[in-house]
Amino acid sequence: MNPFILSMMISNLALGTIITATSYHWFMAWIGLEMNTLAIIPILAKQHHPRATEAATKYFIIQMTASSIILFSSIFNAYHTGTWDITQLTTHPTPSLLTIALAMKLGLVPMHFWLPEVMQGINTMTALIITTWQKLPPMFLLYLTANQLPMVILLLLAISSTLISGWSGLNQTQLRKIMAYSSIGHLGWMFAILSTSQKLLLFTLTMYLLMTIPIFLIFISSTTKTIKDLGMLWTTSPTSCTMTMVIFMALGGLPPLSGFLPKWLILEELTTNHLIPLATMLTLTSLLSLMFYMRLTYTTTLTV
């Protein structure tokens, strides 16, 4: 891709996110989401490979469907309330539709099938953008509307995402798919705390980004794509191998690493709010995710 065109696409990507994050008008937020989506499509398909084209097409269809639901729900709400304010979701179907649409954009269970396939069809650098930057616009909208979203739907999405992500990640050999299921699992934890503590949501999101970006940068610098490549990482870069092991254990939430802190705080907050069954289920389902993180850590140490 021409460097000028690539820089223009990345600029539009950033601009769309900023518009969505700073908007209190539904139509402007929708425009920001559309700018963000249309800017990422050429970046996804820049390899000129059938798998990249397929991934870009899947991503476009899913994002457009979710954006259409968001636009419909906002128009429906504005028709009944007379306002386009994001924080005024008083019409009954609107919060549910909005939650489902944003979950679809993020890739939560059961609307998650597109995310691993898209991640596998693109290069590692673009996969980094999909799992980090592209999560920000929907998360900003969820943050603004958190107090008005249906708690039952949020908790169902959270439990199913943590369960399915751990279960599906166990039999994967492609690191990009594993990181896709890792993203789904962490988003499940964020949805579990969304209606209870928005500050803790931002903290969990920040910690997830700080752990995901370095691991992808290691994958990019070492051209690591599969678990087999991961087993040979020590021979080329012992420092990267050590960092990879630590980050994997942090993503799994092992104490005293940084990934344990947000999960501990979420469990404490849920327990304080008398949601002990939910906290117990999240803890049990996260053991599946911890299993494949530990498997990756073990694979990394095979050649040590």
Side-chain angles (χ1 to χ4, degrees):
M1 182 182 289
N2 187 293
F4 174 75
I5 296 176
L6 181 60
S7 62
M8 186 175 66
M9 292 295 105
I10 294 175
S11 299
N12 284 330
L13 195 68
L15 181 61
T17 303
I18 292 170
I19 290 174
T20 302
T22 57
S23 246
Y24 281 90
H25 192 285
W26 270 117
F27 190 68
M28 290 301 297
W30 178 79
I31 288 176
L33 290 173
E34 292 304 295
M35 287 181 62
N36 185 272
T37 301
L38 293 176
I40 195 68
I41 297 300
I43 299 176
L44 295 177
K46 69 178 181 179
Q47 288 180 300
H48 301 293
H49 188 275
R51 296 193 68 180
T53 306
E54 180 185 355
T57 305
K58 287 180 179 178
Y59 187 82
F60 176 77
I61 292 172
I62 291 295
Q63 297 298 315
M64 288 299 104
T65 303
S67 293
S68 300
I69 297 174
I70 291 172
L71 185 61
F72 170 76
S73 62
S74 60
I75 291 174
F76 188 82
N77 186 71
Y79 176 77
H80 285 276
T81 62
T83 178
W84 286 85
D85 192 345
I86 288 179
T87 59
Q88 300 298 320
L89 297 177
T90 54
T91 310
H92 175 61
T94 303
S96 301
L97 288 174
L98 181 65
T99 305
I100 293 170
L102 293 176
M104 185 184 297
K105 271 189 168 295
L106 290 167
L108 269 81
V109 176
M111 292 82 69
H112 70 290
F113 295 102
W114 64 271
L115 183 57
E117 298 302 322
V118 169
M119 291 276 286
Q120 186 59 30
I122 57 182
N123 60 32
T124 312
M125 188 60 173
T126 315
L128 170 61
I129 298 175
I130 293 293
T131 52
T132 54
W133 187 264
Q134 290 301 95
K135 304 297 182 188
L136 296 180
M139 292 305 294
F140 284 133
L141 291 178
L142 286 169
Y143 177 80
L144 290 173
T145 59
N147 294 325
Q148 303 177 67
L149 299 179
M151 191 172 183
V152 175
I153 296 179
L154 291 176
L155 298 185
L156 286 175
L157 290 171
I159 294 171
S160 58
S161 294
T162 53
L163 175 62
I164 299 300
S165 65
W167 195 263
S168 302
L170 287 174
N171 62 343
Q172 299 297 329
T173 59
Q174 297 291 329
L175 292 176
R176 281 167 292 180
K177 280 192 174 183
I178 289 174
M179 295 308 295
Y181 287 115
S182 171
S183 171
I184 295 170
H186 281 86
L187 286 171
W189 282 86
M190 295 178 208
F191 265 59
I193 202 63
L194 178 61
S195 58
T196 308
S197 174
Q198 287 76 54
K199 291 182 179 179
L200 193 50
L201 165 71
L202 293 180
F203 176 69
T204 307
L205 177 62
T206 303
M207 293 303 298
Y208 167 72
L209 295 178
L210 290 177
M211 291 184 290
T212 302
I213 292 173
I215 198 72
F216 267 105
L217 293 179
I218 292 173
F219 292 163
I220 293 168
S221 63
S222 60
T223 63
T224 302
K225 295 182 178 179
T226 64
I227 293 182
K228 183 179 179 181
D229 298 336
L230 197 62
M232 301 300 295
L233 186 58
W234 180 266
T235 59
T236 57
S237 178
T239 305
S240 297
C241 182
T242 305
M243 290 182 62
T244 301
M245 289 188 290
V246 173
I247 295 171
F248 276 141
M249 289 188 289
L251 282 169
L254 280 179
L257 299 173
S258 57
F260 172 69
L261 183 58
K263 292 184 178 181
W264 180 28
L265 293 175
I266 288 174
L267 293 176
E268 184 181 13
E269 184 71 24
L270 292 175
T271 305
T272 304
N273 287 276
H274 307 291
L275 295 171
I276 297 176
L278 174 64
T280 305
M281 293 184 69
L282 284 176
T283 305
L284 293 176
T285 54
S286 67
L287 293 177
L288 291 170
S289 300
L290 181 60
M291 176 64 186
F292 71 74
Y293 286 125
M294 294 304 295
R295 180 169 67 106
L296 290 172
T297 305
Y298 172 74
T299 304
T300 309
T301 61
L302 286 179
T303 55
V304 177

